[in-house]
Amino acid sequence: IEAALGEGPLSGRRIVVTSGPTHEPIDPVRYIANRSSGAQGAALAHALAALGAHVVFVTGPAAVPPPEGVEVRRVETAREMLAAVEAALPADAAVFTAAVADWRVEGAAQEKIKKVPGGDLPQLTFRENPDILAHVAALGPQRPRLVVGFAAETQDVVANATAKRDRKGCDWIVANDVSPGTGIMGGPENAVTLVTEDGAESWPRMPKAEVAERLAARIAETLA
Ligand code: CTP
Ligand code: CA
């Protein structure tokens, strides 16, 4: 792999990949977040780099470490992720695998909120976070030629993903069913449906690394 870095069908291409969860602070020791190991994002970044791409890997605090051979930009919150993605543009493609927290806590406390046993409970007010994918998909000249979103759904996967693709203005949505019981969330395998302008294409269940390789090959084909 080392020797192959920079060579291949994606040689000379710059690709931004977001990965992992974001953490939105409540106070200095508490946060809200989505469940996300960052495994699929790391696998995809690795697969793209293996095809020769220069990958800018913008990652929240993920359990899985970033792969070798990519440029890593670590962030914590959705707003930091947006800023890091913007700073990484222009790019040929951008792939959004991150499980971004949809909301942040308004006015996060600067000091640890102290528990008052039996007393008043803290009240949290939420604000909507920027939608990084939708923002990038709506860019003018700075818009990457290929913008790919992921969609974790628990029901009506194809219908929800198709609607999401339209709403976000991205080129592809990679949808997966993360219902409890599928074992996909946090597990080694994924079963995805690729939604493009041509319709929905369901791939068989396979290891996340293989999903990544197939997706990377498809991206290479499209950018060629
Ligand atoms: N996404 C993003 N910024 C956000 C929220 C989501 O970039 N603030 C991206 C994700 O990385 C993913 C895609 O948008 O590629 C879809 O995320 P998802 O959470 O499924 O979509 P939402 O529009 O947030 O819808 P919901 O959570 O209600 O299903
Ligand atoms: Ca969401």
Side-chain angles (χ1 to χ4, degrees), residues 127-189:
R127 287 202 57 181
E128 194 171 330
N129 266 332
D131 189 316
I132 306 163
L133 167 62
H135 175 85
V136 169
L139 289 174
Q142 284 270 92
R143 187 192 192 277
R145 194 141 61 81
L146 182 65
V147 177
V148 181
F150 272 64
E153 305 289 350
T154 58
Q155 56 184 353
D156 303 330
V157 176
V158 172
N160 277 328
T162 304
K164 208 165 262 183
R165 178 179 173 275
D166 293 343
R167 195 168 69 238
K168 304 237 184 195
C170 57
D171 301 297
W172 300 350
I173 284 273
V174 182
N176 56 1
D177 185 345
V178 294
S179 304
T182 60
I184 281 177
M185 206 131 205
E189 293 183 335

Side-chain angles (χ1 to χ4, degrees), residues 34 100-102 164 168:
N34 287 40
V100 182
D102 290 320
K164 208 165 262 183
K168 304 237 184 195

Side-chain angles (χ1 to χ4, degrees), residues 88-139:
L89 297 178
D92 298 288
V95 187
F96 297 85
T97 76
V100 182
D102 290 320
W103 311 282
R104 65 179 178 273
V105 176
E106 186 170 60
Q110 295 304 305
E111 306 292 342
K112 184 181 175 188
I113 301 169
K114 296 303 290 179
K115 176 178 67 175
V116 184
D120 288 346
L121 299 171
Q123 304 293 320
L124 300 181
T125 304
F126 290 102
R127 287 202 57 181
E128 194 171 330
N129 266 332
D131 189 316
I132 306 163
L133 167 62
H135 175 85
V136 169
L139 289 174

